[in-house]
Amino acid sequence: MIFKNLKDLYTPRLRLRIINTDDVDIIYDLRSNEEVQKYIHRDPFTNVGQAEAQIKKVLDFQNNEEAITWIIKLKSDLIKVGSVCFWNFSSDRKCAELGYDLLPNFHNKGIMSEALKEILDFGFQILHLKKVEAYTSKYNKSSIALLEKNNFKIQADKFDKDYPDNIIYSLSR
């Protein structure tokens, strides 16, 4: 896998842009929003400095080819609405974990499903992944519906030992 020279991805309504230092605003908005953080096991951000530190961490992961993060923007007005990433790659680089979040004003509009289709194609075709996993809270009905709509299957025999409320879905190709 080579994460250098990654290009933006496009869908009919979205531009998926590789994260950069100009994205502190959306990272802060996502990580400080109580609704976005409701099912995630981390404390919400309380200041912009935390978002700056998160961006640095994400860029370090990207530079070390440990993760790829895209910012989701609407093409119509270039508003940043969320993020999506591949991270936690297996040692053989054939499996990655999918992460995603979206500002509440943009829920239930098909945005994340549209973004996932493009990201998953990238993962399977360009990165040559064989499997993508997604961990979500068993209480997060919207996330479960999103994964199932995109053909992910629950892994009933796999558990998240750190967060027992999480369930694990996967998609293989």
Side-chain angles (χ1 to χ4, degrees), residues 36-82:
V36 173
Q37 298 299 306
K38 183 176 182 179
Y39 301 108
I40 302 173
H41 303 281
R42 61 182 176 223
D43 293 329
F45 285 177
T46 57
N47 64 69
V48 174
Q50 292 170 299
E52 291 168 342
Q54 181 66 23
I55 293 271
K56 182 186 180 322
K57 182 175 152 183
V58 167
L59 290 174
D60 287 346
F61 282 147
Q62 206 152 278
N63 288 334
N64 293 327
E65 298 190 347
E66 298 174 68
I68 306 171
T69 301
W70 292 267
I71 298 300
I72 302 168
K73 296 175 80 173
L74 299 179
K75 282 180 9 185
S76 59
D77 49 18
L78 299 180
I79 294 175
K80 299 174 189 177
V81 298

Side-chain angles (χ1 to χ4, degrees), residues 113 136 140-151 169:
S113 191
T136 193
N140 190 340
K141 302 302 181 201
S142 294
S143 182
I144 291 168
L146 172 73
L147 293 170
E148 290 177 351
K149 179 180 180 182
N150 285 279
N151 300 314
Y169 280 79

